[in-house]
Amino acid sequence: MPIQFNNVSQSVRASHVYIELAGVKRSLASLFIPPIGGLVGQYDPLKTSVVDYEPVRVLSSDDVGNKFGFGSHIHRQAVKLPPSVYLQGGGIYAFPIPEEAGTAATANITIVGTATSAGTIFFSLGGVKVQIGVAIGDDQTVVANNLDTAVAAERDIAVLAPNTLGVCAVTAKFKGTAGNQILLKVNPGGEVQELQNPAGITVTISTVDGYLATGATDPSVEDAFFNTDGTDKLGDRWYTAFTMPFTDATNIAFYKAMAIKRADPAVNRMTSSYGAYVQKTYAQALALPATINSKHIGIIWDDRYEAPAFEMAAELTGIILDELNKAPNRPYKTLPLSGQVNIVPTNRRIDENDALFRAGMSYCNIDTSGTMRLGDVALTYRTNDSGGATEEWFDAVSSHNRQAKAYSIEQIFLADKFQRGVVTDNDAVTAVNFAIAPKDVVSEITKLIQDLWGTYSWSKNIDDIIKSITAEINSGNNSRIDSELIDDEARALRIIAIRYAYLY
């Protein structure tokens, strides 16, 4: 392809040297971090070809279902991820965790009587809605069989409901305590649905709170993150966010240890993980972040969310990954969650949400249409290593902004001239482009801050940041250039305070 000139005509023939100046903006595309999600969860043990703990690139929730089982623990999380995140950025990698020899959670739906009028009965099973038609004369066995059939027809649902003489033993498709998060409701839409129920039929759920129970023995994520000698197993791939579906202390400790190793300067693969809680009181939720206290773990709580907590965690993770494909520094508040919610309890007071966020807990609000929307998304880190209070790692937006910046800096210095460069001093006169002086490092960082961090509002007070940049040859190792800068982060807008003064 011929070189295109703007001011030098192709028709000139007389001898002359033409110099045309053309400013060409450097492409920034390679400096944006491509979000990669880690989807962690148990798979259907009937999928015998699965290699335990080994990450597999997946292209959709259906792909997850095909590989690991529809309605499985990992698939139920996959359906909560926005379809776009599978194909944008670096995509999604599924980490299949094998079940332990535990117990699947269960609860009974008992149907009694014979219908004296036709109608419809509505159910919510783990947030998935199922309805069955009832004809006059249908007895409890017929109605229960219809429920069993309707549940089995829901490919993506997390439970089965086999019927025995009018009693459907609703059972999670996976073992462990995660099944205890599956909520059963009859007529979840309230009076509007109750009025459509057939006369003569009664329906009861065996547990007081409606949740499945007796699920026991969770697996460990350790072998997904670490080799047998305890070293990092995740390699060079830059996972930006993981789902954290297991929130027992042992598994949280593995997530914390993994993130610490990934954040090491020699690795520079900072990541975050997100968990959730739905079966906690406000007081319990307020106390949870202190039990985790990690720069790299965020948790969310809302007792009005009627899908399992691990699905809520996946939904939050998916929203963050989706937003990172657009802008790594934009807040997530007001973005909607798709899960079924109980809109009867009112929103918490502002001071209550403020206390949650200050404690390190993310929260939600429900709008007038009944849609649950994210509030502020927190990190759990509130106490430093010395035991003092800190706001150094306060919220998820700032964490992912720093993650994006670390990635952009690394990409600058992966260029060939730095990979095969030699160190020289600032005053050296050289004819080769691989001679790297401290001033060259300053120049590259300066351009990065001007063109990317400033242009896209990742930072503020750009001139002050640039003034802070220093670089020098390390006095003890002449193959090393040390550099420093002081960033002034552009933080999420959360509060506008106006003092309205009036004359009297």
Side-chain angles (χ1 to χ4, degrees):
M1 181 177 177
I3 296 173
Q4 299 298 314
F5 287 87
N6 294 320
N7 300 310
V8 182
S9 170
Q10 296 290 339
S11 65
V12 296
R13 294 293 182 270
S15 299
H16 190 66
V17 176
Y18 294 88
I19 306 295
E20 177 177 304
L21 300 180
V24 179
K25 189 173 181 62
R26 179 176 59 182
S27 172
L28 300 176
S30 64
L31 303 182
F32 283 89
I33 186 170
I36 298 177
L39 180 65
V40 181
Q42 299 174 90
Y43 65 91
D44 184 343
L46 295 178
K47 296 289 185 178
T48 56
S49 63
V50 174
V51 180
D52 291 347
Y53 309 109
E54 292 303 314
V56 177
R57 176 74 188 270
V58 288
L59 303 178
S60 66
S61 60
D62 278 359
D63 190 25
V64 175
N66 283 320
K67 286 183 168 70
F68 305 111
F70 290 97
S72 65
H73 181 248
I74 194 169
H75 176 245
R76 285 305 308 168
Q77 295 176 73
V79 300
K80 292 297 184 179
L81 301 182
S84 57
V85 302
Y86 290 97
L87 303 176
Q88 294 177 343
I92 301 295
Y93 284 81
F95 287 75
I97 309 298
E99 286 185 344
E100 291 292 320
T103 306
T106 186
N108 292 334
I109 295 179
T110 300
I111 298 169
V112 176
T114 299
T116 58
S117 70
T120 303
I121 307 176
F122 302 85
F123 298 88
S124 171
L125 309 171
V128 177
K129 296 176 182 178
V130 175
Q131 64 184 59
I132 56 172
V134 180
I136 295 175
D138 285 351
D139 65 12
Q140 57 200 43
T141 299
V142 172
V143 175
N145 276 334
N146 290 342
L147 176 57
D148 180 6
T149 301
V151 171
E154 292 287 339
R155 183 195 66 175
D156 296 346
I157 202 166
V159 296
L160 295 172
N163 164 49
T164 303
L165 300 176
V167 179
C168 290
V170 182
T171 306
K173 290 181 178 178
F174 43 85
K175 297 176 181 178
T177 64
N180 298 336
Q181 301 171 19
I182 297 174
L183 176 64
L184 307 182
K185 295 188 76 173
V186 184
N187 299 316
E191 186 178 359
V192 173
Q193 292 179 344
E194 290 173 7
L195 293 173
Q196 300 179 58
N197 291 172
I201 295 290
T202 60
V203 182
T204 58
I205 297 171
S206 61
T207 54
V208 174
D209 59 3
Y211 282 95
L212 302 192
T214 68
T217 314
D218 289 327
S220 169
V221 300
E222 180 179 16
D223 289 344
F225 299 151
F226 303 103
N227 296 309
T228 54
D229 62 355
T231 56
D232 174 69
K233 186 179 179 180
L234 297 177
D236 193 53
R237 188 175 295 133
W238 197 309
Y239 294 100
T240 41
F242 283 92
T243 64
M244 192 176 75
F246 307 108
T247 52
D248 59 281
T250 300
N251 276 311
I252 287 176
F254 290 134
Y255 273 92
K256 291 176 67 173
M258 173 270 289
I260 290 171
K261 286 183 180 291
R262 303 291 287 172
D264 186 280
V267 180
N268 188 38
R269 293 294 180 269
M270 186 173 74
T271 189
S272 296
S273 303
Y274 296 95
Y277 302 83
V278 297
Q279 297 166 274
K280 300 291 184 181
T281 65
Y282 175 83
Q284 290 171 330
L286 200 61
L288 279 169
T291 67
I292 299 174
N293 195 47
S294 171
K295 301 175 182 178
H296 311 292
I297 293 178
I299 55 176
I300 189 168
W301 164 78
D302 203 298
D303 56 358
R304 299 167 295 180
Y305 190 90
E306 295 189 342
F310 58 83
E311 293 186 20
M312 189 182 197
E315 190 161 10
L316 173 60
T317 306
I319 288 172
I320 290 173
L321 289 169
D322 194 36
E323 288 300 304
L324 289 177
N325 278 303
K326 303 168 186 174
N329 62 328
R330 193 172 186 186
Y332 316 116
K333 62 182 180 181
T334 76
L335 295 176
L337 284 78
S338 65
Q340 179 179 304
V341 298
N342 181 359
I343 63 173
V344 175
T346 58
N347 282 325
R348 290 174 294 276
R349 300 188 311 268
I350 292 174
D351 63 298
E352 291 177 312
N353 284 338
D354 180 62
L356 287 168
F357 189 48
R358 285 189 290 108
M361 176 64 80
S362 311
Y363 64 91
C364 301
N365 289 306
I366 297 177
D367 66 18
T368 54
S369 72
T371 300
M372 179 171 281
R373 297 182 180 275
L374 290 175
D376 297 296
V377 180
L379 297 175
T380 59
Y381 191 67
R382 294 293 181 269
T383 307
N384 61 27
D385 292 340
S386 301
T390 179
E391 296 188 3
E392 178 189 3
W393 293 83
F394 200 81
D395 64 295
V397 177
S398 296
S399 175
H400 289 292
N401 192 6
R402 294 168 188 172
Q403 188 181 61
K405 288 173 178 175
Y407 179 89
S408 66
I409 293 172
E410 181 184 71
Q411 295 305 301
I412 287 290
F413 294 107
L414 287 178
D416 188 64
K417 70 176 182 179
F418 293 103
Q419 295 301 300
R420 301 184 62 218
V422 296
V423 178
T424 188
D425 62 276
N426 285 336
D427 297 324
V429 178
T430 178
V432 298
N433 67 353
F434 54 83
I436 308 298
K439 66 180 180 182
D440 298 315
V441 173
V442 172
S443 176
E444 290 292 334
I445 296 175
T446 298
K447 287 187 289 185
L448 174 66
I449 293 170
Q450 289 174 328
D451 294 348
L452 184 63
W453 297 11
T455 299
Y456 290 92
S457 298
W458 292 7
S459 296
K460 62 183 185 296
N461 295 320
I462 299 303
D463 289 344
D464 291 339
I465 300 173
I466 291 172
K467 289 177 184 177
S468 76
I469 303 171
T470 61
E472 62 184 16
I473 300 172
N474 186 280
S475 59
N477 181 353
N478 281 185
S479 288
R480 170 174 163 173
I481 295 178
D482 296 336
S483 182
E484 183 182 33
L485 69 149
I486 301 174
D487 189 17
D488 190 353
E489 299 173 326
R491 296 295 183 90
L493 173 62
R494 294 197 177 88
I495 300 169
I496 296 178
I498 299 173
R499 182 177 183 270
Y500 164 59
Y502 56 92
L503 299 176
Y504 63 93

